[in-house]
């Protein structure tokens, strides 16, 4: 299969770029949340006489810095209103690691959506052979790990720990319940990310607006605590290995296997309702 080396290179590069970009987006959203929380902390704590004395001693420069910080915190609060409601609490990891703002531009560059459920879905459509998917899956896991490691290494120490913060799902539900939820939402996700952008393209609507149609998917809970899907087992594995140097616990495996099975189910749905044009 002479095209396999080219596929390997494109898969590796795209998965690393996606992983690093996702970590940057994660850091950015984390800083926005911290700024927004600063405003509520200031309003909630009030001001004491000692605070007033300290502020007076700081002079005009200190007052000016405080005003800038307060203005930024207000703006951060407004920005958070534009995102899914679970972003602020960190319970919508899919919005970061499966954002169409990242996946679709990478697809434009490399012709690949660097997302494991989506690639499995494409295998079911015949776009990838079983041999190719057997090569692609390990590349995605390694690419995600390398991307997280690079992002952590290049990040300032103050945010480096946030880059590798684990995605831990509640185990309050039976394993099967979380598995079914992951399977269903990932099947819908793979269909949506393959179909919605094409429909928008046909109607000459910028594909950047595709994220609006993915909103409900990023919010859908897959565990007892209300955390949404990551839409990628490679992300959970990479954060666990780079951040803690340990394997994913068995109790979390419903969120590793569910996206894979969801990709297969999504492929079956696509082959029935949105099959590829074999004449092309």
């Amino acid at each position: 299969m002479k095209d396999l080396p080219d596929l390997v290179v494109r898969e590796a590069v795209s998965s690393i770029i996606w992983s690093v970009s996702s970590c940057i987006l994660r850091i950015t959203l984390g800083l926005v949340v911290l700024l927004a929380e600063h405003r509520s902390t200031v309003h909630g704590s009030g001001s004491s006489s000692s605070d007033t004395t300290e502020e007076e001693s700081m002079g005009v420069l200190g007052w000016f810095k405080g005003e800038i910080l307060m203005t930024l915190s207000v703006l951060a609060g407004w920005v958070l209103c534009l995102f899914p409601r679970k972003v602020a609490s960190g319970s919508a990891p899919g919005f970061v690691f499966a954002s169409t703002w990242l996946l679709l531009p990478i697809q434009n560059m490399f012709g690949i959506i660097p997302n494991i459920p989506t690639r499995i879905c494409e295998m079911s459509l015949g776009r990838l052979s079983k041999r190719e998917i057997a090569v692609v899956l390990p590349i995605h896991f390694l690419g995600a790990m390398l991307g997280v490691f690079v992002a952590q290494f290049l990040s300032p120490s103050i945010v480096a720990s946030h880059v590798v913060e684990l995605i831990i799902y509640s185990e309050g539900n039976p394993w099967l319940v979380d598995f079914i939820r992951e399977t269903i939402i990932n099947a819908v996700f793979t269909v949506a990310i393959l179909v919605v952008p094409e429909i928008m393209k046909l109607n000459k609507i910028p594909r950047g607006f595709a994220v609006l149609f993915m909103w409900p998917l990023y919010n859908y809970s897959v565990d007892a605590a209300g955390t949404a899907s990551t839409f990628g087992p490679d992300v959970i594995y990479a954060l666990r290995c780079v951040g803690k140097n340990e394997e994913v616990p068995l109790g979390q495996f419903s969120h590793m296997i569910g996206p894979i099975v969801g990709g297969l189910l999504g492929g079956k749905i696509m082959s029935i309702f949105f099959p590829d044009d074999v004449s092309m």
Side-chain angles (χ1 to χ4, degrees), residues 10 63 93 112 121 132 136 173 181:
R10 288 188 295 118
W63 174 85
I112 290 170
C121 176
E132 288 172 329
V136 163
N173 287 333
R181 287 183 176 181

Side-chain angles (χ1 to χ4, degrees), residues 182-211:
E182 282 279 10
T183 300
I184 292 173
I185 198 61
N186 276 271
V188 176
F189 173 81
T190 56
V191 174
I193 201 168
L194 291 175
V195 173
V196 170
E198 295 303 317
I199 293 176
M200 300 183 77
K201 182 179 178 180
L202 290 174
N203 290 277
K204 298 181 179 180
I205 301 173
R207 298 207 305 172
F209 290 107
V211 69

Side-chain angles (χ1 to χ4, degrees), residues 18-40:
W18 155 77
S19 182
V20 173
S21 302
S22 297
C23 289
I24 293 174
L25 178 59
R26 193 183 201 192
I27 293 171
T28 304
L29 288 175
L31 293 175
V32 170
V33 171
L34 285 176
L35 279 172
E37 289 177 347
H38 171 78
R39 180 190 177 195
S40 60

